[in-house]
Amino acid sequence: MIRATLRNLATGPIAVQMRRFVVVGALTAGIQLALLWLFDNVAGLNYLLAATIAIEITIILSYVLNNAWTFRASQNTGLSEYFGGLLKTNLVRGTAWPIQIGVLYALVEWGGMIALVANVPAILISGLYRFVLDWQWTWG
Protein backbone atom coordinates (compact mmCIF):
# COMPACT_ATOMS: atom_id res chain seq x y z
CA MET A 1 0.00 0.00 0.00
CA ILE A 2 2.74 2.50 0.90
CA ARG A 3 4.76 1.64 -2.22
CA ALA A 4 1.75 2.23 -4.49
CA THR A 5 1.00 5.49 -2.70
CA LEU A 6 4.54 6.74 -3.20
CA ARG A 7 4.46 5.77 -6.90
CA ASN A 8 1.23 7.69 -7.45
CA LEU A 9 2.28 10.90 -5.70
CA ALA A 10 3.52 12.66 -8.82
CA THR A 11 1.09 11.53 -11.49
CA GLY A 12 -1.36 9.09 -10.00
CA PRO A 13 -4.97 9.57 -9.01
CA ILE A 14 -4.06 10.93 -5.57
CA ALA A 15 -1.47 13.48 -6.75
CA VAL A 16 -3.84 16.47 -6.47
CA GLN A 17 -4.99 15.39 -3.02
CA MET A 18 -1.40 14.90 -1.91
CA ARG A 19 -0.42 18.40 -3.10
CA ARG A 20 -3.41 19.91 -1.30
CA PHE A 21 -2.58 17.88 1.80
CA VAL A 22 0.96 19.31 1.69
CA VAL A 23 -0.37 22.89 1.38
CA VAL A 24 -2.72 22.38 4.34
CA GLY A 25 0.10 20.66 6.22
CA ALA A 26 2.52 23.53 5.57
CA LEU A 27 -0.04 26.07 6.75
CA THR A 28 -0.93 24.14 9.89
CA ALA A 29 2.74 23.32 10.54
CA GLY A 30 3.44 27.07 10.60
CA ILE A 31 0.57 27.55 13.01
CA GLN A 32 1.79 24.63 15.11
CA LEU A 33 5.28 26.13 15.30
CA ALA A 34 3.83 29.50 16.34
CA LEU A 35 1.72 27.82 19.02
CA LEU A 36 4.70 25.78 20.23
CA TRP A 37 6.75 28.95 20.53
CA LEU A 38 3.90 30.70 22.35
CA PHE A 39 3.25 27.87 24.81
CA ASP A 40 6.95 27.06 25.37
CA ASN A 41 8.64 30.46 25.34
CA VAL A 42 5.87 32.83 26.40
CA ALA A 43 3.69 30.68 28.66
CA GLY A 44 6.66 28.70 30.01
CA LEU A 45 5.19 25.22 29.52
CA ASN A 46 7.46 22.21 29.13
CA TYR A 47 8.22 21.84 25.41
CA LEU A 48 6.64 18.37 25.21
CA LEU A 49 3.39 19.57 26.81
CA ALA A 50 3.49 22.69 24.63
CA ALA A 51 3.95 20.53 21.52
CA THR A 52 1.11 18.22 22.53
CA ILE A 53 -1.34 21.11 22.93
CA ALA A 54 -0.18 22.70 19.67
CA ILE A 55 -0.55 19.36 17.86
CA GLU A 56 -4.14 18.86 19.02
CA ILE A 57 -5.17 22.37 18.01
CA THR A 58 -3.69 21.86 14.54
CA ILE A 59 -5.25 18.39 14.23
CA ILE A 60 -8.67 20.03 14.44
CA LEU A 61 -7.69 22.85 12.06
CA SER A 62 -6.16 20.35 9.60
CA TYR A 63 -9.34 18.29 9.60
CA VAL A 64 -11.52 21.31 8.88
CA LEU A 65 -9.29 22.44 5.99
CA ASN A 66 -8.68 18.97 4.55
CA ASN A 67 -12.36 18.09 4.71
CA ALA A 68 -13.33 21.30 2.93
CA TRP A 69 -10.57 21.33 0.29
CA THR A 70 -8.21 18.35 0.06
CA PHE A 71 -10.82 15.61 0.22
CA ARG A 72 -13.85 17.60 -0.92
CA ALA A 73 -14.85 14.85 -3.39
CA SER A 74 -15.35 12.50 -0.44
CA GLN A 75 -16.11 15.23 2.10
CA ASN A 76 -17.74 14.37 5.42
CA THR A 77 -20.90 16.49 5.38
CA GLY A 78 -23.63 15.37 7.79
CA LEU A 79 -23.22 16.15 11.47
CA SER A 80 -22.49 12.57 12.56
CA GLU A 81 -20.32 11.95 9.47
CA TYR A 82 -18.40 15.20 10.10
CA PHE A 83 -17.73 14.45 13.76
CA GLY A 84 -17.05 10.80 12.93
CA GLY A 85 -14.37 11.98 10.50
CA LEU A 86 -12.96 14.30 13.15
CA LEU A 87 -12.75 11.35 15.53
CA LYS A 88 -11.08 9.23 12.84
CA THR A 89 -8.49 11.90 12.02
CA ASN A 90 -7.79 12.31 15.75
CA LEU A 91 -7.17 8.57 15.95
CA VAL A 92 -4.95 8.65 12.84
CA ARG A 93 -3.01 11.63 14.06
CA GLY A 94 -3.04 10.27 17.59
CA THR A 95 -1.08 7.28 16.33
CA ALA A 96 1.30 9.70 14.56
CA TRP A 97 1.72 11.72 17.76
CA PRO A 98 4.31 9.33 19.28
CA ILE A 99 6.33 9.51 16.05
CA GLN A 100 6.35 13.31 16.07
CA ILE A 101 6.94 13.70 19.81
CA GLY A 102 9.58 10.94 19.75
CA VAL A 103 11.53 12.64 16.97
CA LEU A 104 11.12 16.00 18.71
CA TYR A 105 12.38 14.56 22.00
CA ALA A 106 15.35 12.83 20.35
CA LEU A 107 16.41 15.94 18.46
CA VAL A 108 16.11 18.17 21.54
CA GLU A 109 17.56 15.83 24.17
CA TRP A 110 20.18 13.97 22.12
CA GLY A 111 20.66 16.29 19.16
CA GLY A 112 20.89 19.51 21.14
CA MET A 113 18.39 21.31 18.91
CA ILE A 114 15.91 23.85 20.20
CA ALA A 115 12.32 22.58 20.25
CA LEU A 116 11.06 24.98 17.59
CA VAL A 117 13.69 23.84 15.06
CA ALA A 118 13.44 20.16 16.03
CA ASN A 119 9.69 20.19 15.48
CA VAL A 120 10.08 20.82 11.73
CA PRO A 121 11.65 17.43 10.85
CA ALA A 122 9.31 15.81 13.39
CA ILE A 123 6.31 17.15 11.46
CA LEU A 124 7.75 16.08 8.11
CA ILE A 125 8.59 12.55 9.24
CA SER A 126 5.08 11.91 10.52
CA GLY A 127 3.38 13.69 7.58
CA LEU A 128 3.41 10.93 4.97
CA TYR A 129 2.18 8.44 7.55
CA ARG A 130 -0.73 10.76 8.39
CA PHE A 131 -1.62 11.29 4.72
CA VAL A 132 -1.79 7.58 3.91
CA LEU A 133 -4.00 6.80 6.90
CA ASP A 134 -6.27 9.82 6.43
CA TRP A 135 -6.62 9.12 2.70
CA GLN A 136 -7.41 5.44 3.26
CA TRP A 137 -9.54 5.63 6.39
CA THR A 138 -10.78 9.11 7.34
CA TRP A 139 -11.90 10.01 3.80
CA GLY A 140 -11.52 6.58 2.14
Side-chain angles (χ1 to χ4, degrees), residues 110-136:
W110 301 322
M113 295 174 78
I114 62 169
L116 197 60
V117 173
N119 201 42
V120 172
I123 290 169
L124 294 173
I125 289 170
S126 63
L128 183 59
Y129 170 85
R130 291 188 315 267
F131 174 76
V132 170
L133 290 180
D134 268 338
W135 172 59
Q136 290 290 316

PDB file of all heavy atoms in Angstrom, residues 110-136:
ATOM      1  N   TRP A 110      18.945  14.614  22.577  1.00  0.00           N
ATOM      2  CA  TRP A 110      20.181  13.971  22.122  1.00  0.00           C
ATOM      3  C   TRP A 110      20.861  14.740  21.005  1.00  0.00           C
ATOM      4  O   TRP A 110      22.061  14.601  20.793  1.00  0.00           O
ATOM      5  CB  TRP A 110      19.910  12.537  21.676  1.00  0.00           C
ATOM      6  CG  TRP A 110      19.311  11.701  22.780  1.00  0.00           C
ATOM      7  CD1 TRP A 110      19.624  11.734  24.109  1.00  0.00           C
ATOM      8  CD2 TRP A 110      18.272  10.738  22.648  1.00  0.00           C
ATOM      9  NE1 TRP A 110      18.840  10.849  24.806  1.00  0.00           N
ATOM     10  CE2 TRP A 110      18.002  10.215  23.943  1.00  0.00           C
ATOM     11  CE3 TRP A 110      17.531  10.254  21.572  1.00  0.00           C
ATOM     12  CZ2 TRP A 110      17.048   9.249  24.173  1.00  0.00           C
ATOM     13  CZ3 TRP A 110      16.578   9.288  21.810  1.00  0.00           C
ATOM     14  CH2 TRP A 110      16.347   8.791  23.096  1.00  0.00           C
ATOM     15  N   GLY A 111      20.089  15.532  20.265  1.00  0.00           N
ATOM     16  CA  GLY A 111      20.663  16.285  19.159  1.00  0.00           C
ATOM     17  C   GLY A 111      21.017  17.713  19.516  1.00  0.00           C
ATOM     18  O   GLY A 111      21.639  18.417  18.734  1.00  0.00           O
ATOM     19  N   GLY A 112      20.565  18.165  20.684  1.00  0.00           N
ATOM     20  CA  GLY A 112      20.888  19.509  21.135  1.00  0.00           C
ATOM     21  C   GLY A 112      20.179  20.627  20.389  1.00  0.00           C
ATOM     22  O   GLY A 112      20.572  21.787  20.482  1.00  0.00           O
ATOM     23  N   MET A 113      19.120  20.289  19.655  1.00  0.00           N
ATOM     24  CA  MET A 113      18.389  21.312  18.907  1.00  0.00           C
ATOM     25  C   MET A 113      17.370  21.993  19.814  1.00  0.00           C
ATOM     26  O   MET A 113      16.933  21.413  20.802  1.00  0.00           O
ATOM     27  CB  MET A 113      17.655  20.674  17.722  1.00  0.00           C
ATOM     28  CG  MET A 113      18.568  20.076  16.673  1.00  0.00           C
ATOM     29  SD  MET A 113      17.664  19.184  15.384  1.00  0.00           S
ATOM     30  CE  MET A 113      17.082  20.546  14.407  1.00  0.00           C
ATOM     31  N   ILE A 114      16.993  23.217  19.461  1.00  0.00           N
ATOM     32  CA  ILE A 114      15.907  23.854  20.201  1.00  0.00           C
ATOM     33  C   ILE A 114      14.593  23.250  19.702  1.00  0.00           C
ATOM     34  O   ILE A 114      14.492  22.790  18.560  1.00  0.00           O
ATOM     35  CB  ILE A 114      15.919  25.398  20.051  1.00  0.00           C
ATOM     36  CG1 ILE A 114      15.721  25.827  18.603  1.00  0.00           C
ATOM     37  CG2 ILE A 114      17.194  25.993  20.629  1.00  0.00           C
ATOM     38  CD1 ILE A 114      15.469  27.319  18.441  1.00  0.00           C
ATOM     39  N   ALA A 115      13.583  23.253  20.550  1.00  0.00           N
ATOM     40  CA  ALA A 115      12.322  22.578  20.253  1.00  0.00           C
ATOM     41  C   ALA A 115      11.674  23.101  18.978  1.00  0.00           C
ATOM     42  O   ALA A 115      11.142  22.316  18.176  1.00  0.00           O
ATOM     43  CB  ALA A 115      11.362  22.707  21.435  1.00  0.00           C
ATOM     44  N   LEU A 116      11.708  24.389  18.765  1.00  0.00           N
ATOM     45  CA  LEU A 116      11.059  24.975  17.591  1.00  0.00           C
ATOM     46  C   LEU A 116      11.681  24.450  16.298  1.00  0.00           C
ATOM     47  O   LEU A 116      10.970  24.104  15.356  1.00  0.00           O
ATOM     48  CB  LEU A 116      11.160  26.502  17.660  1.00  0.00           C
ATOM     49  CG  LEU A 116      10.221  27.281  16.776  1.00  0.00           C
ATOM     50  CD1 LEU A 116       8.763  26.965  17.107  1.00  0.00           C
ATOM     51  CD2 LEU A 116      10.477  28.767  16.923  1.00  0.00           C
ATOM     52  N   VAL A 117      12.993  24.349  16.250  1.00  0.00           N
ATOM     53  CA  VAL A 117      13.690  23.843  15.064  1.00  0.00           C
ATOM     54  C   VAL A 117      13.491  22.337  14.933  1.00  0.00           C
ATOM     55  O   VAL A 117      13.242  21.818  13.841  1.00  0.00           O
ATOM     56  CB  VAL A 117      15.193  24.208  15.116  1.00  0.00           C
ATOM     57  CG1 VAL A 117      15.959  23.549  13.984  1.00  0.00           C
ATOM     58  CG2 VAL A 117      15.372  25.720  15.085  1.00  0.00           C
ATOM     59  N   ALA A 118      13.576  21.624  16.031  1.00  0.00           N
ATOM     60  CA  ALA A 118      13.439  20.163  16.027  1.00  0.00           C
ATOM     61  C   ALA A 118      12.041  19.719  15.611  1.00  0.00           C
ATOM     62  O   ALA A 118      11.868  18.607  15.096  1.00  0.00           O
ATOM     63  CB  ALA A 118      13.783  19.611  17.405  1.00  0.00           C
ATOM     64  N   ASN A 119      11.054  20.558  15.825  1.00  0.00           N
ATOM     65  CA  ASN A 119       9.685  20.186  15.483  1.00  0.00           C
ATOM     66  C   ASN A 119       9.454  20.124  13.976  1.00  0.00           C
ATOM     67  O   ASN A 119       8.560  19.418  13.510  1.00  0.00           O
ATOM     68  CB  ASN A 119       8.689  21.152  16.137  1.00  0.00           C
ATOM     69  CG  ASN A 119       7.309  20.556  16.252  1.00  0.00           C
ATOM     70  OD1 ASN A 119       7.140  19.392  16.605  1.00  0.00           O
ATOM     71  ND2 ASN A 119       6.304  21.350  15.953  1.00  0.00           N
ATOM     72  N   VAL A 120      10.258  20.826  13.188  1.00  0.00           N
ATOM     73  CA  VAL A 120      10.078  20.821  11.732  1.00  0.00           C
ATOM     74  C   VAL A 120      10.317  19.419  11.150  1.00  0.00           C
ATOM     75  O   VAL A 120       9.442  18.878  10.478  1.00  0.00           O
ATOM     76  CB  VAL A 120      10.950  21.894  11.046  1.00  0.00           C
ATOM     77  CG1 VAL A 120      10.904  21.760   9.531  1.00  0.00           C
ATOM     78  CG2 VAL A 120      10.504  23.284  11.484  1.00  0.00           C
ATOM     79  N   PRO A 121      11.486  18.790  11.383  1.00  0.00           N
ATOM     80  CA  PRO A 121      11.648  17.433  10.854  1.00  0.00           C
ATOM     81  C   PRO A 121      10.673  16.437  11.493  1.00  0.00           C
ATOM     82  O   PRO A 121      10.256  15.469  10.854  1.00  0.00           O
ATOM     83  CB  PRO A 121      13.097  17.070  11.154  1.00  0.00           C
ATOM     84  CG  PRO A 121      13.580  18.063  12.128  1.00  0.00           C
ATOM     85  CD  PRO A 121      12.713  19.270  12.004  1.00  0.00           C
ATOM     86  N   ALA A 122      10.284  16.689  12.733  1.00  0.00           N
ATOM     87  CA  ALA A 122       9.314  15.808  13.389  1.00  0.00           C
ATOM     88  C   ALA A 122       7.975  15.837  12.659  1.00  0.00           C
ATOM     89  O   ALA A 122       7.339  14.792  12.459  1.00  0.00           O
ATOM     90  CB  ALA A 122       9.147  16.217  14.852  1.00  0.00           C
ATOM     91  N   ILE A 123       7.557  17.012  12.227  1.00  0.00           N
ATOM     92  CA  ILE A 123       6.311  17.154  11.460  1.00  0.00           C
ATOM     93  C   ILE A 123       6.443  16.452  10.111  1.00  0.00           C
ATOM     94  O   ILE A 123       5.552  15.717   9.687  1.00  0.00           O
ATOM     95  CB  ILE A 123       5.961  18.644  11.259  1.00  0.00           C
ATOM     96  CG1 ILE A 123       5.534  19.283  12.579  1.00  0.00           C
ATOM     97  CG2 ILE A 123       4.870  18.814  10.202  1.00  0.00           C
ATOM     98  CD1 ILE A 123       5.429  20.802  12.529  1.00  0.00           C
ATOM     99  N   LEU A 124       7.554  16.659   9.432  1.00  0.00           N
ATOM    100  CA  LEU A 124       7.755  16.076   8.108  1.00  0.00           C
ATOM    101  C   LEU A 124       7.790  14.552   8.147  1.00  0.00           C
ATOM    102  O   LEU A 124       7.203  13.887   7.286  1.00  0.00           O
ATOM    103  CB  LEU A 124       9.045  16.618   7.483  1.00  0.00           C
ATOM    104  CG  LEU A 124       9.041  18.106   7.155  1.00  0.00           C
ATOM    105  CD1 LEU A 124      10.429  18.551   6.707  1.00  0.00           C
ATOM    106  CD2 LEU A 124       8.003  18.437   6.107  1.00  0.00           C
ATOM    107  N   ILE A 125       8.460  14.004   9.137  1.00  0.00           N
ATOM    108  CA  ILE A 125       8.589  12.548   9.241  1.00  0.00           C
ATOM    109  C   ILE A 125       7.229  11.891   9.457  1.00  0.00           C
ATOM    110  O   ILE A 125       6.935  10.852   8.874  1.00  0.00           O
ATOM    111  CB  ILE A 125       9.597  12.178  10.350  1.00  0.00           C
ATOM    112  CG1 ILE A 125      11.011  12.539   9.880  1.00  0.00           C
ATOM    113  CG2 ILE A 125       9.505  10.703  10.730  1.00  0.00           C
ATOM    114  CD1 ILE A 125      12.076  12.467  10.947  1.00  0.00           C
ATOM    115  N   SER A 126       6.391  12.511  10.260  1.00  0.00           N
ATOM    116  CA  SER A 126       5.081  11.914  10.524  1.00  0.00           C
ATOM    117  C   SER A 126       4.038  12.274   9.460  1.00  0.00           C
ATOM    118  O   SER A 126       2.962  11.695   9.424  1.00  0.00           O
ATOM    119  CB  SER A 126       4.582  12.316  11.913  1.00  0.00           C
ATOM    120  OG  SER A 126       4.389  13.709  11.998  1.00  0.00           O
ATOM    121  N   GLY A 127       4.346  13.197   8.555  1.00  0.00           N
ATOM    122  CA  GLY A 127       3.382  13.691   7.577  1.00  0.00           C
ATOM    123  C   GLY A 127       2.902  12.670   6.561  1.00  0.00           C
ATOM    124  O   GLY A 127       1.702  12.565   6.301  1.00  0.00           O
ATOM    125  N   LEU A 128       3.813  11.919   5.970  1.00  0.00           N
ATOM    126  CA  LEU A 128       3.411  10.927   4.971  1.00  0.00           C
ATOM    127  C   LEU A 128       2.560   9.836   5.614  1.00  0.00           C
ATOM    128  O   LEU A 128       1.551   9.409   5.054  1.00  0.00           O
ATOM    129  CB  LEU A 128       4.636  10.312   4.290  1.00  0.00           C
ATOM    130  CG  LEU A 128       4.332   9.308   3.184  1.00  0.00           C
ATOM    131  CD1 LEU A 128       3.507   9.939   2.063  1.00  0.00           C
ATOM    132  CD2 LEU A 128       5.628   8.726   2.626  1.00  0.00           C
ATOM    133  N   TYR A 129       2.961   9.431   6.791  1.00  0.00           N
ATOM    134  CA  TYR A 129       2.183   8.440   7.548  1.00  0.00           C
ATOM    135  C   TYR A 129       0.750   8.923   7.750  1.00  0.00           C
ATOM    136  O   TYR A 129      -0.212   8.206   7.505  1.00  0.00           O
ATOM    137  CB  TYR A 129       2.890   8.205   8.893  1.00  0.00           C
ATOM    138  CG  TYR A 129       2.109   7.404   9.891  1.00  0.00           C
ATOM    139  CD1 TYR A 129       2.142   6.015   9.866  1.00  0.00           C
ATOM    140  CD2 TYR A 129       1.349   8.025  10.875  1.00  0.00           C
ATOM    141  CE1 TYR A 129       1.435   5.267  10.790  1.00  0.00           C
ATOM    142  CE2 TYR A 129       0.633   7.295  11.805  1.00  0.00           C
ATOM    143  CZ  TYR A 129       0.684   5.910  11.758  1.00  0.00           C
ATOM    144  OH  TYR A 129      -0.024   5.178  12.672  1.00  0.00           O
ATOM    145  N   ARG A 130       0.600  10.190   8.154  1.00  0.00           N
ATOM    146  CA  ARG A 130      -0.729  10.763   8.387  1.00  0.00           C
ATOM    147  C   ARG A 130      -1.544  10.818   7.102  1.00  0.00           C
ATOM    148  O   ARG A 130      -2.734  10.519   7.097  1.00  0.00           O
ATOM    149  CB  ARG A 130      -0.619  12.161   9.003  1.00  0.00           C
ATOM    150  CG  ARG A 130      -0.095  12.160  10.423  1.00  0.00           C
ATOM    151  CD  ARG A 130      -0.180  13.541  11.054  1.00  0.00           C
ATOM    152  NE  ARG A 130       0.265  14.632  10.215  1.00  0.00           N
ATOM    153  CZ  ARG A 130       1.501  15.127  10.215  1.00  0.00           C
ATOM    154  NH1 ARG A 130       2.415  14.616  11.009  1.00  0.00           N
ATOM    155  NH2 ARG A 130       1.811  16.136   9.425  1.00  0.00           N
ATOM    156  N   PHE A 131      -0.893  11.207   5.992  1.00  0.00           N
ATOM    157  CA  PHE A 131      -1.618  11.289   4.724  1.00  0.00           C
ATOM    158  C   PHE A 131      -2.183   9.934   4.312  1.00  0.00           C
ATOM    159  O   PHE A 131      -3.351   9.820   3.958  1.00  0.00           O
ATOM    160  CB  PHE A 131      -0.743  11.832   3.593  1.00  0.00           C
ATOM    161  CG  PHE A 131      -1.439  11.779   2.263  1.00  0.00           C
ATOM    162  CD1 PHE A 131      -2.424  12.705   1.942  1.00  0.00           C
ATOM    163  CD2 PHE A 131      -1.152  10.779   1.344  1.00  0.00           C
ATOM    164  CE1 PHE A 131      -3.103  12.647   0.734  1.00  0.00           C
ATOM    165  CE2 PHE A 131      -1.826  10.710   0.136  1.00  0.00           C
ATOM    166  CZ  PHE A 131      -2.800  11.641  -0.174  1.00  0.00           C
ATOM    167  N   VAL A 132      -1.349   8.906   4.355  1.00  0.00           N
ATOM    168  CA  VAL A 132      -1.785   7.585   3.914  1.00  0.00           C
ATOM    169  C   VAL A 132      -2.969   7.108   4.743  1.00  0.00           C
ATOM    170  O   VAL A 132      -3.974   6.640   4.203  1.00  0.00           O
ATOM    171  CB  VAL A 132      -0.616   6.567   3.970  1.00  0.00           C
ATOM    172  CG1 VAL A 132      -1.114   5.144   3.755  1.00  0.00           C
ATOM    173  CG2 VAL A 132       0.443   6.924   2.932  1.00  0.00           C
ATOM    174  N   LEU A 133      -2.900   7.259   6.047  1.00  0.00           N
ATOM    175  CA  LEU A 133      -4.004   6.798   6.895  1.00  0.00           C
ATOM    176  C   LEU A 133      -5.255   7.656   6.738  1.00  0.00           C
ATOM    177  O   LEU A 133      -6.368   7.121   6.693  1.00  0.00           O
ATOM    178  CB  LEU A 133      -3.575   6.738   8.359  1.00  0.00           C
ATOM    179  CG  LEU A 133      -2.580   5.630   8.695  1.00  0.00           C
ATOM    180  CD1 LEU A 133      -2.220   5.675  10.170  1.00  0.00           C
ATOM    181  CD2 LEU A 133      -3.102   4.260   8.325  1.00  0.00           C
ATOM    182  N   ASP A 134      -5.093   8.967   6.643  1.00  0.00           N
ATOM    183  CA  ASP A 134      -6.266   9.822   6.425  1.00  0.00           C
ATOM    184  C   ASP A 134      -6.908   9.514   5.079  1.00  0.00           C
ATOM    185  O   ASP A 134      -8.139   9.415   4.971  1.00  0.00           O
ATOM    186  CB  ASP A 134      -5.893  11.315   6.495  1.00  0.00           C
ATOM    187  CG  ASP A 134      -6.050  11.912   7.881  1.00  0.00           C
ATOM    188  OD1 ASP A 134      -6.813  11.338   8.691  1.00  0.00           O
ATOM    189  OD2 ASP A 134      -5.438  12.945   8.154  1.00  0.00           O
ATOM    190  N   TRP A 135      -6.109   9.390   4.046  1.00  0.00           N
ATOM    191  CA  TRP A 135      -6.616   9.121   2.701  1.00  0.00           C
ATOM    192  C   TRP A 135      -7.375   7.783   2.659  1.00  0.00           C
ATOM    193  O   TRP A 135      -8.448   7.690   2.089  1.00  0.00           O
ATOM    194  CB  TRP A 135      -5.444   9.120   1.720  1.00  0.00           C
ATOM    195  CG  TRP A 135      -5.782   8.684   0.332  1.00  0.00           C
ATOM    196  CD1 TRP A 135      -6.689   9.248  -0.512  1.00  0.00           C
ATOM    197  CD2 TRP A 135      -5.205   7.593  -0.380  1.00  0.00           C
ATOM    198  NE1 TRP A 135      -6.713   8.578  -1.718  1.00  0.00           N
ATOM    199  CE2 TRP A 135      -5.802   7.551  -1.658  1.00  0.00           C
ATOM    200  CE3 TRP A 135      -4.227   6.652  -0.071  1.00  0.00           C
ATOM    201  CZ2 TRP A 135      -5.455   6.613  -2.612  1.00  0.00           C
ATOM    202  CZ3 TRP A 135      -3.882   5.719  -1.033  1.00  0.00           C
ATOM    203  CH2 TRP A 135      -4.503   5.707  -2.276  1.00  0.00           C
ATOM    204  N   GLN A 136      -6.816   6.768   3.305  1.00  0.00           N
ATOM    205  CA  GLN A 136      -7.414   5.441   3.260  1.00  0.00           C
ATOM    206  C   GLN A 136      -8.591   5.281   4.211  1.00  0.00           C
ATOM    207  O   GLN A 136      -9.531   4.561   3.896  1.00  0.00           O
ATOM    208  CB  GLN A 136      -6.353   4.374   3.603  1.00  0.00           C
ATOM    209  CG  GLN A 136      -5.310   4.193   2.543  1.00  0.00           C
ATOM    210  CD  GLN A 136      -5.890   3.540   1.313  1.00  0.00           C
ATOM    211  OE1 GLN A 136      -6.641   2.588   1.383  1.00  0.00           O
ATOM    212  NE2 GLN A 136      -5.543   4.065   0.150  1.00  0.00           N
TER     213      GLN A 136
END
